[in-house]
């Protein structure tokens, strides 16, 4: 069994780390550079940095802040938010990111996935997907963009498959219904996507206890679990979560 990854997410707004529930009521929780350094010390496997308002404001990535965060961590570092062109991908990677997460911009311009994968390699191109329950969709889930503000006509499963066929090397799958609730990941959604694509799936949204990670990494078939509130609240550390997973027989790094 491949070792499972624990990934910490920093949602960034106006240069500060922020946290909300179901994409609402965001509050300032700290400096992303200091927080990145702390999670690196705690032994996190990867770090994800999302500029949550870049696409809505129609601007590109904050390269100086990305470079500052990258200088603190020596693990895979993925950046998302406002990356809409090949030049944006290139400048983000040059600023220190190993991967870029394409979410809203990928829906608006799917060829960005293909071109990005061709130039930088599939491993650099991550599909970020925000999905919420919707009975009108064949899979039962609809894709949203612009930080959950705009609903699309894409079915979550259909879009995941299409993005992988275009060249996405990984999917960060965020359940909008579970986001920030600490009530557990969306197991059904995660399993459905994981069983139908050939690339790693990272579960996001809802992690509140180590048991939630156990569930999504086993029942949900996720390759990795993304956490935020659990560690931002200082209720857990990355190390304590990994210890709990090991006790449950889940191989972690």
């Amino acid at each position: 069994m491949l070792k499972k990854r624990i990934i910490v997410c920093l949602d960034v707004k106006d240069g500060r780390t922020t946290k909300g529930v179901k994409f609402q009521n965001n509050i300032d929780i700290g400096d992303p550079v200091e927080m990145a350094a702390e999670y690196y010390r705690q032994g996190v496997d990867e770090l994800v940095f999302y500029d949550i308002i870049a696409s809505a404001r129609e601007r590109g990535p904050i390269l100086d802040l990305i470079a500052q965060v990258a200088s603190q961590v020596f693990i895979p570092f993925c950046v998302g938010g406002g990356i809409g062109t090949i030049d944006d991908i290139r400048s983000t990677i040059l600023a220190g990111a190993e991967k870029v997460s394409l979410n809203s911009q990928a829906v608006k311009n799917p060829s960005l996935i293909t071109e990005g994968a061709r130039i930088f390699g599939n491993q650099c191109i991550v599909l970020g997907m925000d999905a919420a329950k919707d009975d009108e969709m064949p899979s039962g889930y609809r894709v949203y963009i612009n930080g959950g503000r705009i609903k699309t006509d894409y079915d979550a499963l259909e879009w995941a498959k299409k993005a992988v066929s275009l060249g996405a090397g990984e999917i960060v799958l965020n359940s909008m219904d579970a986001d920030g609730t600490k009530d557990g990941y969306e197991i059904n959604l995660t399993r459905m996507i994981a069983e139908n694509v050939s690339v790693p799936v990272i579960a996001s949204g809802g992690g509140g206890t180590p048991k939630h990670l156990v569930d999504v990494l086993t029942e949900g078939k996720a390759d990795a679990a993304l956490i935020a509130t659990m560690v931002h609240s200082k209720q857990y550390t990355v190390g304590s979560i990994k210890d709990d997973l090991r006790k449950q027989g889940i191989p972690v790094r």
Side-chain angles (χ1 to χ4, degrees):
M1 189 181 191
L2 283 174
K3 289 188 175 179
K4 303 291 190 177
R5 290 172 287 153
I6 306 299
I7 301 171
V8 168
C9 178
L10 301 175
D11 284 336
V12 177
K13 179 181 180 183
D14 298 324
R16 299 284 293 176
T17 307
T18 182
K19 197 70 200 106
V21 177
K22 298 185 180 181
F23 289 50
Q24 303 289 321
N25 305 317
N26 284 70
I27 56 167
D28 184 314
I29 57 170
D31 180 310
V33 181
E34 291 172 6
M35 292 173 75
E38 173 57 26
Y39 295 132
Y40 177 65
R41 279 194 293 273
Q42 288 183 18
V44 74
D45 298 313
E46 295 189 21
L47 193 72
V48 174
F49 172 113
Y50 284 135
D51 185 331
I52 62 170
I53 52 172
S55 286
R57 289 185 178 170
E58 298 184 347
R59 64 158 169 73
I62 316 171
L63 298 174
D64 57 340
L65 186 58
I66 292 164
Q68 288 176 57
V69 172
S71 73
Q72 299 298 314
V73 299
F74 303 94
I75 48 174
F77 174 39
C78 179
V79 173
I83 298 172
T85 66
I86 292 298
D87 282 344
D88 287 339
I89 296 175
R90 182 178 289 108
S91 58
T92 301
I93 291 171
L94 288 172
E98 276 78 24
K99 307 175 185 180
V100 295
S101 177
L102 306 178
N103 188 323
S104 305
Q105 303 299 332
V107 170
K108 295 170 186 173
N109 177 20
S111 66
L112 187 61
I113 299 173
T114 310
E115 276 296 285
R118 183 181 67 79
I119 295 169
F120 304 102
N122 302 67
Q123 79 287 348
C124 286
I125 306 299
V126 178
L127 177 73
M129 180 162 70
D130 296 318
K133 287 178 184 167
D134 189 327
D135 292 338
E136 292 179 11
M137 293 283 115
S139 71
Y141 297 88
R142 184 187 293 272
V143 175
Y144 284 72
I145 59 171
N146 283 35
R149 296 173 186 85
I150 297 174
K151 74 178 187 178
T152 73
D153 293 330
Y154 274 119
D155 174 78
L157 180 57
E158 174 197 351
W159 175 228
K161 289 177 171 177
K162 180 175 179 182
V164 171
S165 74
L166 291 171
E170 196 167 63
I171 296 174
V172 174
L173 175 61
N174 188 47
S175 163
M176 292 173 58
D177 302 301
D179 182 77
T181 64
K182 299 189 285 184
D183 292 334
Y185 296 89
E186 242 279 22
I187 301 293
N188 293 333
L189 171 64
T190 308
R191 186 194 305 115
M192 175 180 67
I193 303 294
E195 287 181 341
N196 283 282
V197 296
S198 57
V199 301
V201 172
I202 299 162
S204 170
T209 69
K211 174 71 165 63
H212 294 153
L213 277 76
V214 171
D215 292 344
V216 84
L217 293 170
T218 55
E219 294 172 47
K221 308 262 181 94
D223 297 273
L226 188 143
I227 54 175
T229 309
M230 278 179 80
V231 284
H232 295 341
S233 67
K234 299 186 169 58
Q235 187 176 2
Y236 299 93
T237 65
V238 174
S240 73
I241 293 167
K242 285 188 173 184
D243 286 344
D244 270 323
L245 295 182
R246 286 188 192 101
K247 286 173 189 166
Q248 298 296 322
I250 292 181
V252 290
R253 294 182 181 185

